[in-house]
Structures are given as C-alpha cells and as structure tokens.
C-alpha cells in the first residue's frame, strides 16, 4: 500500500447524500479478478449515457473537475454493498481523499486498506466547502494527515480525526496482515485455549 | 457480575488481543467466501506466499453471478465463468470447502450458512458481503468485510475491529395478518434512516421478534446494513434450537447438550446497558413498500408518493427530487395501483422456504397479470427441493411465474436476470438503488406476500386484500 502523508489537489463536488457503492462502481464491472483498472468505470452509469458518450451534466465530466484528486460528497457516502472495488475505482481514477459529513462503516474501513483517506467533517463545514468549490474554477484543498487538518488558500481550515491505528497504517503504508502476524503467539494461544475448551 | 449484552458476551469471548493503537484483534469462527469479493484476496495470499490459516473454518460457494437458468450449461458470460473458475481453483489450491454449481447444497451464501448448520449462536462470522448481518439471527456476531479484510482473515483467522456501539430495537406487539418481518425492518429503516445505526450493532428484541421464525429473524438481521448498522443480532431461544437441531454441521449428541448449555446463557442480562434504544409499535404496522432509490424511502402501502417540498431537510429534498425523477413518479400519487412489469421473489433477504410459502398463499389458484414477468429464485438448492416437495413450484408455475435455479439473480443483476430501462419491479430484495436491478430499472422493495400480490394484480397492492379468508 502507498503511504499517505499530505496532499494538495483540485476538488470536485458531488452534492448528493447516500451515494451507494452500486453507483460508485456498478455490478457489471465486478467481474474482473484483478485489483486494478476500475477507474474507467467509476460512477459509470452517471458518467456515461446509455450510448456510451460522457454525460456533460455529471459533475466529474465538467471542465473544472478535470484532474481532481479530492472528492467532496454528501452524508453516508459509500453505503450499501461491501465491494472494495469502490475504493479501488476511486483511487484508480485519481482520488486521494474524500470529504463528507459521514461515511458508511464498511466503505470507510476499505478506504484505509488502500491508502485512500476518508475525512469526516461536520455537515456545516462540508456545506461551506461546497459553496467555496462552486465559486471557483480551480478550487484546491490541502490535506495534512500527521496534523489532521484540511484547509484552502482562502482562509478555510478544519481539523479532523482519524483513529491512531488507521492513521499509523496510512502514514507507514503498512501491510495490515504483517501487523497482525506480529501477534501470532497470541493467536496461537487463543486457538489452544479454544481447542482445550472444546475437548473438555 | 456486571450485566452484559448479547453483543458484549460474543465480542469478549473472541478478543485475541487489544492492540495498543486502539482496536481489538477478534478471532473469526466462520469465514464465508463467494466468487466476487475473493479472487483478489487469494491472489494476495499467493503473491505474499501466505496460506489459509484455518481452511476448515472457511466455506465457499458461488452465488452472485451464477445463471439461474438450466444447470450444466456453460455460462454464456465469459467473465462470470472466469470468476467462478477462479474460485474453484483457489479453493482447491488452498484447501477450502466449496459448494459449487453442481453441489446439491449450492445457494446464496447467507442462505446456505444457516441451512447447513454452519452458523451457530455465539460465533463470529464474516464474509466479503454486507448482508453477512443475516447470521446474527442466531445470536452470532456477523458482519461484512472488504476484500483486503477477506485476505486478512484467510491469512490470520482474525479481524481488526474497533468496538462498535450498541443499539436495542424493540418490536413490541403482535403483527397484523399480512404484515411480516420485511415490513418491520423496512419500517425501522424508514424511521431511523439509512445511516441511523452507523457504528452500532443492533440487538432486536420484543414480543414480535420472540414470536418470529428463524426465517423472519434472518430477514430482519439481513437488512440491518440498510440502517447503516455494523451487524444485527437476536438472542437465541427455543426457536433457534429447533431450527438448528439435526442440521449437517450443528453439534450432535452430547455435544448438542453442551452447546445448548452455553448458548442459553448468551442472551442480554437484565440491566445491561445499550448506547441507544428504539422501540417500534409492531402491532399497528401496515405492509410497507419503498417508493424511492434508498431503502429508507418507504411508506405504508396505503400511502402516497411524497412531495419533495415537504421533505424534512434540504438534503432530503434534493434526494427525494432525484429519486422521483429516476422512479418517474409524481408527488401525491397513491402507491397502491402503481403498475409493475416485473416481479422478483428472491435474494438473501426473502428466498427461504417460509418466504416462498408466504407468497404461495397469495398466488394459489390465481394468475399473474397480463404484461407482468414474474420469477421465483429460491435461495438455495435445498430451499428449491423443499419447495418442490411441498408442491409450491406448481402453485407458482401454474400461475405463470418462472421457477428458476438458486443464486443472487436480480437482487443485483450480475447475471442475465436484469430489468430493462424503465421497467418497474416489485422485489423482495434489499436494495432499491438506482440501476441496482439493471440500468434504468425501478425497484420497489416489499415483502414476499406483497410482491406475490403485485404479480397477480399487475400493480402495487395491499396484500391484505389477497389473503385467504
Ligand atoms: S442476494 Fe443480493 S444482497 Fe444477498 S448476497 Fe446476493 S447480491 Fe448480496
């Protein structure tokens, strides 16, 4: 996994609540057995019309969204299916961070497994960011994970919090399995205790 | 002893370590695997030279993209075939038990786990699938995980989890005829919202839950995720024991007695605290149906399509507006009478034997309305066989339903069972998201009885007018 420390980039606003993982990556693209190459299909049914041409109305297709690396979204982002293809697609498309008032639990956990940073901010601050983003052609934000702050060049600054375990994981780009295997003696002891209980 | 909740008892019994950074390392008793969310996990093991730590605690099946047509034919879709054969090869290479397409036990992963007696009270169960919450109906702590976590569980038999908060949901009262488990859970999601239980494990309790069969309890726990919950749980009781006894992997003989002694102590102790409590008057509940593109957008069947301008907040107003456009509905339209072209009886929410019985009761002696294509997709081969034994298949086929082979089918439309753009479907599945059942397709979620009645009437209709007297 790529470590994450800080990042500055262009913001695109997707002002919808409850964006589910079926929208992020529709099921017809879940048949690949690789982890890569999902970016082309991100938000597929919103991004492309039925004839396959890009829908100019969709937020990601607008000129000011090109090259965006930070996604601003509504509450409960990533709800629904547990498919990790959703963060894979967001990341493969180029996103490094997602800012929303709240995230669905499984999606939130999946992001950290892939070095994608989900940032939950109070709804009023996210509203403020929506306004700022809509007012500028090239709206940029800087995300600083060690300091846990996000800000722009025009006076916006907010702190966020990521639990220690996940922050360490992102900062170090650590392999979680490797981390857990450090506890091998405890896992083995747990299994022995279990086996004894079962036999008694 | 400090009184503890069911959740706390199961959680505490599985903590391998409290990691210094905060979360716990939990031991996993049962890891269920399917073809769509596992290939990258097995590939990860291969790349890092790791093995499956406890293959005997890992069970796989194929369900998400299998055809529900005749078995034994090669899959028309090359990519699906590739994914299925990847699972066959992976399970062979890593020594994992697989219920494949030819197996008489194949079915939707959340149907076969309980059916085979694999799911048991007090267990921790995970699967790369959000509806793993289903297994909580047995008093297990069961939740969905992502593919990286699937790899983690395969390699370590453990999962890293922060301790969730707890919520008690009490369904009080006795259900009216025509009202079932699906209506309870839809009403709950409607009330607390699709993020209403985020970060929580729900324990369902109350008179209506106690009176409910295991099938009904599974329906409720299944859709906990639609309320945003991490998991749903129900304390095991006599209903649980009678469902489990004699199942293939359930303990037998002296072990059964020992297990019962342990399991019967799992229930929440009197006086144990929850972070939140919600109470629903189940006795006054009417059949529910969704009108929008999120499971919380539900109404009594006797209700109307809401007006976005009356929405509780600006965010909701925007969501309602979008949903009504997608669903092609006008505010103020009565839900009853809305024409449907398709009916889907299936999914891990409502494709168990009791669901099919509930639907058959409505269908018996009647015909599917002209212009409606209706299908029944049993949840597993065993459900299918049991239904055929009872003659339910004849009731459905005589009425004009298609009687298909088990799989997830039109719950998510990864196989050929999809809605065409603009088609409206009465569905017993769990998600009415845009395009979930096929791009441009419109889904109304409801109970099996309601879906059966919609097939007969050709429109959304109150199942209570179709019940045998
Ligand atoms: S039936 Fe639907 S919800 Fe259930 S596991 Fe299959 S796709 Fe998921």
């Amino acid at each position: 996994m790529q470590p994450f420390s800080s990042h500055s980039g262009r913001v695109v606003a997707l002002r919808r609540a409850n964006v589910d993982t079926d929208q992020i990556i529709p099921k017809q693209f879940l048949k690949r057995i690789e982890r890569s190459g999902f970016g082309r299909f991100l938000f597929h049914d919103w991004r492309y019309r039925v004839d396959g041409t890009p829908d100019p109305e969709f937020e990601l297709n607008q000129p000011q969204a090109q090259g965006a690396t930070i996604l601003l979204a509504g509450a409960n982002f990533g709800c629904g299916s547990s498919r990790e293809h959703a963060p894979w697609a967001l990341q493969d498309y180029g996103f490094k961070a997602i800012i929303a008032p709240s995230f669905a639990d499984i999606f939130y956990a999946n992001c950290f497994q892939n070095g994608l940073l989900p940032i939950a901010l109070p709804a009023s601050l996210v509203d403020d960011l929506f306004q700022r983003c809509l007012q500028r052609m090239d709206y940029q934000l800087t995300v600083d994970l060690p300091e846990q702050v996000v800000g722009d060049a025009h006076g916006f600054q907010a702190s966020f919090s990521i639990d220690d375990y996940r922050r360490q994981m992102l900062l170090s780009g650590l392999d979680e399995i490797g981390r857990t295997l450090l506890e091998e003696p405890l896992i083995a002891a747990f299994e022995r205790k279990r086996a004894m209980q079962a036999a008694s | 002893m400090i009184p503890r909740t069911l959740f706390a008892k199961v959680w505490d019994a599985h903590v391998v370590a409290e990691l210094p950074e905060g979360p716990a390392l939990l031991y996993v008793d049962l890891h269920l695997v399917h073809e769509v969310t596992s290939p990258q996990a097995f590939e990860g093991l291969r790349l890092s030279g790791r093995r499956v730590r406890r293959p005997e605690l890992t069970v796989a099946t194929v369900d998400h993209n299998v055809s529900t047509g005749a078995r034994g034919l090669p899959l028309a879709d090359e990519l699906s075939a590739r994914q299925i054969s990847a699972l066959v090869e992976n399970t062979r290479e890593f020594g994992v038990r697989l219920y494949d397409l030819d197996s008489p036990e194949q079915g939707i992963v959340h149907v076969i786990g309980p059916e085979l007696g694999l799911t048991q009270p007090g267990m921790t169960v995970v699967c790369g699938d959000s509806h793993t919450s289903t297994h909580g109906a047995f008093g297990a702590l069961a939740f969905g995980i992502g593919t990286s976590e699937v790899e983690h569980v395969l390699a370590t038999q453990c999962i890293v989890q922060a301790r969730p908060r707890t919520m008690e949901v009490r369904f009080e009262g006795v259900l009216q005829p025509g009202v079932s488990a699906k209506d309870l859970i839809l009403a709950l999601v409607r009330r607390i919202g699709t993020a209403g239980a985020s970060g929580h494990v729900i324990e369902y309790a109350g008179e209506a839950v106690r009176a409910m069969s295991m099938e009904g309890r599974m329906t409720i726990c299944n859709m906990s995720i639609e309320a945003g919950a991490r998991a749903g749980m129900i304390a095991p009781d006599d209903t649980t024991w009678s469902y489990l006894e004699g199942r293939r992997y359930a303990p037998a003989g002296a072990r059964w007695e020992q297990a019962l002694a342990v399991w019967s102590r799992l229930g929440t102790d009197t006086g144990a605290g929850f972070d939140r409590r919600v109470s629903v008057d189940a006795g006054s509940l009417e059949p529910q149906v969704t009108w929008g593109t999120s499971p919380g957008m539900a109404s009594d069947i006797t209700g109307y399509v809401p007006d976005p301008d009356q929405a509780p907040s600006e965010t909701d107003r925007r969501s309602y507006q979008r949903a009504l456009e997608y669903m092609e509905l006008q505010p103020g339209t009565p839900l009853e009478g809305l024409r449907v072209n398709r009916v889907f009886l299936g999914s891990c929410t409502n494709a168990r034997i009791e669901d099919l019985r509930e639907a058959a009761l409505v269908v018996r002696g009647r015909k599917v309305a002209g212009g409606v294509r209706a299908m029944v997709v049993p949840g597993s081969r065993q459900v299918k066989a049991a239904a055929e034994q009872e003659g339910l298949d004849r009731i459905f086929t005589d009425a004009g339903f298609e009687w298909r082979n088990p799989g997830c089918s039109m719950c998510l439309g990864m196989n050929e069972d999809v809605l065409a753009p603009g088609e409206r479907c009465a569905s017993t599945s769990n998600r009415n998201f845009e395009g979930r059942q096929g791009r441009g397709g419109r889904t109304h979620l409801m109970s099996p009885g309601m879906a059966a009645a919609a097939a007969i009437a050709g429109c959304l209709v109150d199942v209570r007018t179709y019940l045998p007297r």
Side-chain angles (χ1 to χ4, degrees), chain B residues 63-64 108-110 129 131 347-348 408 411-412 430 436:
Chain B
D63 53 4
H64 278 65
I108 304 174
V109 63
H110 310 309
D129 191 283
H131 289 99
S347 89
C348 60
C408 294
C411 173
L412 91 166
N430 42 57
R436 170 83 177 180

Side-chain angles (χ1 to χ4, degrees), chain B residues 390-439:
Chain B
E390 293 178 24
L392 302 185
D393 57 323
R394 290 297 303 274
I395 296 177
F396 287 116
T397 51
D398 286 352
F401 278 83
E402 296 169 30
W403 180 250
R404 304 188 69 89
N405 274 309
C408 294
S409 178
M410 214 161 70
C411 173
L412 91 166
M414 264 188 95
N415 68 354
E416 64 284 2
D417 306 337
V418 288
L419 295 181
E423 278 189 322
R424 193 178 293 283
C425 178
S427 177
T428 65
S429 55
N430 42 57
R431 286 180 176 144
N432 50 354
F433 298 152
E434 284 182 34
R436 170 83 177 180
Q437 296 194 291
R439 187 170 185 172

Side-chain angles (χ1 to χ4, degrees), chain A residues 169-191:
Chain A
M169 214 164 110
L170 276 191
L171 288 171
S172 63
L174 192 96
D175 162 21
E176 191 180 41
I177 299 177
R179 166 71 190 85
T180 295
L181 288 175
L182 296 177
E183 311 293 342
E184 167 61 32
L186 290 175
I187 303 174
F190 186 92
E191 288 178 330

Side-chain angles (χ1 to χ4, degrees), chain B residues 99-277:
Chain B
Y99 294 98
D100 69 5
L101 268 184
D102 305 323
S103 155
E105 279 99 9
Q106 176 268 339
I108 304 174
V109 63
H110 310 309
V111 175
I112 72 167
E115 190 171 78
L116 291 168
L118 288 163
T119 306
Q120 294 167 20
M123 277 186 166
T124 47
V125 182
V126 299
C127 173
D129 191 283
S130 58
H131 289 99
T132 308
S133 55
T134 312
H135 307 266
F138 290 80
L141 174 61
F143 50 90
I145 57 178
T147 297
S148 297
E149 292 174 315
V150 169
E151 184 182 338
H152 185 279
V153 177
L154 289 172
T156 68
Q157 202 57 33
C158 292
I159 182 96
V160 178
Q161 284 288 298
R163 191 183 179 107
R165 290 181 296 257
T166 55
M167 177 189 282
E168 182 190 46
V169 173
R170 298 192 70 87
F171 289 116
E172 303 290 4
V174 179
L175 301 187
Q176 290 177 31
V179 177
S180 70
K182 183 66 160 285
D183 301 303
L184 292 188
I185 190 65
L186 282 173
L188 178 71
V189 179
R190 173 184 170 191
R191 167 136 155 226
I192 68 173
T194 48
S198 285
H200 289 75
V201 167
I202 302 178
E203 178 176 344
Y204 300 99
E207 190 183 358
V209 173
R210 283 301 130 215
M212 201 172 276
S213 66
M214 285 316 296
E215 284 85 353
R217 294 177 187 186
M218 284 190 256
T219 300
I220 290 189
C221 288
N222 173 277
M223 284 186 69
S224 301
I225 184 76
E226 271 59 58
R230 205 62 196 99
M233 301 178 86
I234 293 175
D237 60 11
D238 289 345
T239 307
T240 321
W241 322 146
S242 26
Y243 178 97
L244 273 175
E245 194 170 10
R247 302 228 169 224
R248 166 103 52 95
Y249 293 101
R255 296 218 164 269
W256 171 256
E257 296 303 325
Q258 281 167 8
L260 273 192
V262 175
W263 295 345
S264 51
R265 290 197 298 268
L266 281 171
T268 293
D269 301 326
T270 330
F274 289 88
D275 297 304
R276 253 184 93 188
R277 291 177 196 264

